Amino acid sequence: MFYYVNGTVAHVEPYLVVVDCGGVGYACRTTNYTLSKLTRGKPAKLYTHLNVREDVFELYGFSSESELGCFRMLISVSGVGPKAALAILSSNSPEGLAMSIVSGNEKALTAAPGIGKKIAQRIILELKDKLAKGQLSTAGGESFAGGITVIPENKASEASAALAVLGYSQSEIASALKGIDMDALSLEDVIKQALKKMVKA
């Protein structure tokens, strides 16, 4: 229903921002990561997800399509609701979350308030499995074409899998990773450099 809201930041509080769009204030539940990029009175564009169930009608907003994609992937996991997803994304950047899933890092997920070891294990298991079967979708709702292997044989495959978690296609990932010195950089730096190249493209 709403792809994004684009306006002026009218109000900010923990996990919530109100964006004034032509005189209408849209209350968007969000993460600390997105809030850190917003300033009251300044323009903002948030990519949104509308959560509707029974008597609940809530809008969630994120500063990037990558974060929106991560949010949607998290709530697709059984037992993970919007509040838990916001907590996880408030403790992890989209890139950090992708690395945690690919590397099986439970501690990074349990650092979020209210996220226990069992939920963290389920998130890693289900999202790795979906990624391996090519079932994850981009923020725009498009599924990845074909299966994607997440077996971390080397740094390049780990970086590729992490970028796929963020919603990039295999052709985009291959182009972004080309020319990056895998041996000289850490996995995190490889991912950051690839993301910079894709943003500029």
Side-chain angles (χ1 to χ4, degrees):
M1 185 176 181
F2 299 104
Y3 188 78
Y4 63 79
V5 294
N6 193 358
T8 304
V9 177
H11 176 75
V12 174
E13 61 182 71
Y15 294 108
L16 183 74
V17 59
V18 178
V19 180
D20 185 322
C21 302
V24 178
Y26 290 90
C28 300
R29 298 189 181 280
T30 190
T31 64
N32 291 335
Y33 182 78
T34 287
L35 287 174
S36 70
K37 298 178 179 296
L38 304 176
T39 304
R40 188 171 180 175
K42 298 291 185 179
K45 180 179 181 179
L46 300 181
Y47 296 93
T48 57
H49 172 86
L50 183 63
N51 181 47
V52 181
R53 57 180 178 81
E54 298 176 3
D55 59 343
V56 175
F57 193 88
E58 294 177 323
L59 194 62
Y60 292 80
F62 306 92
S63 61
S64 69
E65 290 181 277
S66 292
E67 193 178 19
L68 171 60
C70 286
F71 174 80
R72 287 179 169 165
M73 286 187 288
L74 285 169
I75 61 175
S76 74
V77 176
S78 57
V80 179
K83 287 184 180 179
L86 285 187
I88 292 169
L89 286 169
S90 287
S91 300
N92 298 270
S93 67
E95 298 81 18
L97 176 63
M99 287 180 63
S100 299
I101 292 168
V102 171
S103 63
N105 184 359
E106 295 173 17
K107 289 184 178 180
L109 299 178
T110 55
I115 304 301
K117 188 174 182 179
K118 287 185 178 179
I119 289 292
Q121 289 175 336
R122 190 181 303 154
I123 289 169
I124 291 169
L125 179 66
E126 288 194 25
L127 293 185
K128 263 193 174 184
D129 188 50
K130 287 181 181 180
L131 184 59
K133 294 176 181 177
Q135 294 175 350
L136 290 182
S137 300
T138 64
E142 297 178 356
S143 295
F144 295 123
I148 302 169
T149 301
V150 296
I151 299 172
E153 297 173 353
N154 53 48
K155 198 179 292 181
S157 63
E158 285 192 13
S160 178
L163 291 166
V165 170
L166 294 175
Y168 293 101
S169 69
Q170 286 299 287
S171 59
E172 290 174 318
I173 292 168
S175 177
L177 291 177
K178 190 176 181 180
I180 294 178
D181 190 344
M182 299 288 174
D183 295 326
L185 300 172
S186 67
L187 176 59
E188 185 175 1
D189 286 336
V190 168
I191 293 170
K192 284 181 179 178
Q193 283 207 13
L195 284 170
K196 284 181 181 178
K197 289 171 72 174
M198 284 189 277
V199 169
K200 291 178 181 177

